[in-house]
Amino acid sequence: MAYPVPPLIRFMLPAVLASSMVAAEPAARPHLVVDAPPGSRIEGGVGIYPNGFVARYDDLVLLGDALRWDIRREEVWAEGRVVLVRPGIRIHAARLGLHLQDQRGEAWEVEAWIDGPTGRIPVRAKQMRMTRQEVVFEGVETIRRHGGILALGARRLTVRLHETPRPKGEDAERRDAARVVRDIALTGPWFALFDVPVFWLPYLYRDLSFDYPWTRVNFGKSSRLGEFIRFEIGTGLPEVGGWKTRVVGEADYFHDTGTCFGAQLDWRNDTIHCLICPTHS
């Protein structure tokens, strides 16, 4: 039997389940709150919101065209222009399923923005899986950087998160993004320059606790060597014993002298920064 719901009703889990729960839930436990226009209803313990909704649970905000909420299982299924906002990441999707208590979910036809130290990193992917500790994008499609000059894709992009955002006062040199997003790893990345595939790599890693780009492209003119284009690609390595390591490869083309290549190694901890300067050949 269907029951009509008044406009802009706010359903809260304890009120709906009060008659069937054996024990009361802890007071500190978060509850789902849904705002929806007329036409929403409850059928067989499932909340149905066919005309749009805005839902809030803990530090998550979810909105879209339609929502089904299995109240007893604490699971939601959203469809149509779905937007999920969580600290550090904003996700748009065609469809999304989410278990509320575990914050474990999956989405399809995904476009997302990850907070980085120098701005938001855009991601477009076929599928996304998430837990409290990480968000994994599968089938990452083209990410354009440097004004569209460089395109990047990958089989998988993994974003690891701090379970509890670190206080703003901790390590003042780090940007706010590092308080939520711990690091980003790309599996099977490929690169294209002016839409022409140039190379593939098995793995790329970026620790967001200090600021550096994966790639850097520079154009210019030198009075000694003429016009040039410089391309750099760098990857971090997982932290070991408090040391953070980064390896950088560089390819330069100078109009007067031709092509040369170089590399550098950069590693640091909280008090020491070491650098082996680039060498070219």
Side-chain angles (χ1 to χ4, degrees):
M1 181 176 180
Y3 298 92
V5 176
L8 296 177
I9 188 73
R10 300 170 70 88
F11 290 108
M12 298 193 69
L13 187 60
V16 177
L17 297 181
S19 61
S20 60
M21 292 184 64
V22 176
E25 295 292 344
R29 184 174 175 179
H31 305 291
L32 182 70
V33 178
V34 181
D35 293 339
S40 304
R41 62 191 186 278
I42 297 176
E43 293 182 354
V46 176
I48 301 173
Y49 308 84
N51 300 319
F53 68 94
V54 177
R56 298 171 179 85
Y57 182 87
D58 199 10
D59 57 1
L60 303 181
V61 177
L62 178 67
L63 59 147
D65 291 340
L67 177 73
R68 292 178 63 87
W69 172 24
D70 189 317
I71 300 171
R72 187 174 300 278
R73 294 183 178 180
E74 297 188 53
E75 295 176 345
V76 295
W77 175 264
E79 292 184 319
R81 297 181 294 179
V82 179
V83 178
L84 173 66
V85 180
R86 61 180 296 175
I89 301 180
R90 179 185 179 95
I91 298 167
H92 293 207
R95 306 181 306 282
L96 181 143
L98 178 66
H99 187 277
L100 295 171
Q101 184 177 357
D102 296 341
Q103 293 191 17
R104 171 175 44 83
E106 195 167 359
W108 293 264
E109 299 177 41
V110 175
E111 188 171 5
W113 290 264
I114 305 165
D115 288 345
T118 58
R120 289 185 171 180
I121 301 170
V123 177
R124 187 185 299 270
K126 296 178 180 178
Q127 188 176 1
M128 180 275 300
R129 293 177 286 107
M130 62 174 274
T131 65
R132 289 183 184 273
Q133 291 79 31
E134 69 176 20
V135 180
V136 179
F137 299 91
E138 300 282 356
V140 177
E141 301 173 0
T142 302
I143 303 171
R144 295 196 175 273
R145 308 294 288 173
H146 308 295
I149 296 173
L150 182 70
L152 167 66
R155 292 197 308 272
R156 179 180 301 114
L157 186 150
T158 302
V159 181
R160 292 199 303 165
L161 308 167
H162 295 286
E163 187 166 356
T164 301
R166 294 182 295 178
K168 287 188 177 182
E170 179 180 325
D171 198 347
E173 294 182 357
R174 298 176 178 178
R175 296 176 182 260
D176 285 349
R179 295 186 302 108
V180 177
V181 180
R182 179 176 179 180
D183 52 32
I184 300 174
L186 283 168
T187 303
W190 55 264
F191 297 84
L193 194 61
F194 295 107
D195 291 326
V196 178
V198 288
F199 62 92
W200 293 257
L201 292 172
Y203 186 77
L204 275 178
Y205 175 85
R206 182 174 180 183
D207 185 333
L208 293 189
S209 63
F210 62 98
D211 183 16
Y212 64 84
W214 267 317
T215 59
R216 181 183 286 119
V217 179
N218 292 320
F219 300 88
K221 186 174 182 179
S222 167
S223 59
R224 187 166 59 91
L225 300 176
E227 295 179 349
F228 68 87
I229 179 171
R230 171 172 296 163
F231 175 73
E232 294 180 4
I233 181 169
T235 181
L237 300 177
E239 182 177 333
V240 177
W243 286 93
K244 304 175 187 294
T245 305
R246 183 177 183 239
V247 181
V248 180
E250 182 179 320
D252 301 337
Y253 174 77
F254 291 90
H255 182 269
D256 295 345
T257 59
T259 303
C260 57
F261 302 92
Q264 79 179 42
L265 180 65
D266 180 350
W267 71 99
R268 69 181 73 190
N269 61 20
D270 290 337
T271 58
I272 303 173
H273 182 198
C274 304
L275 174 68
I276 297 178
C277 295
T279 57
H280 291 81
S281 61

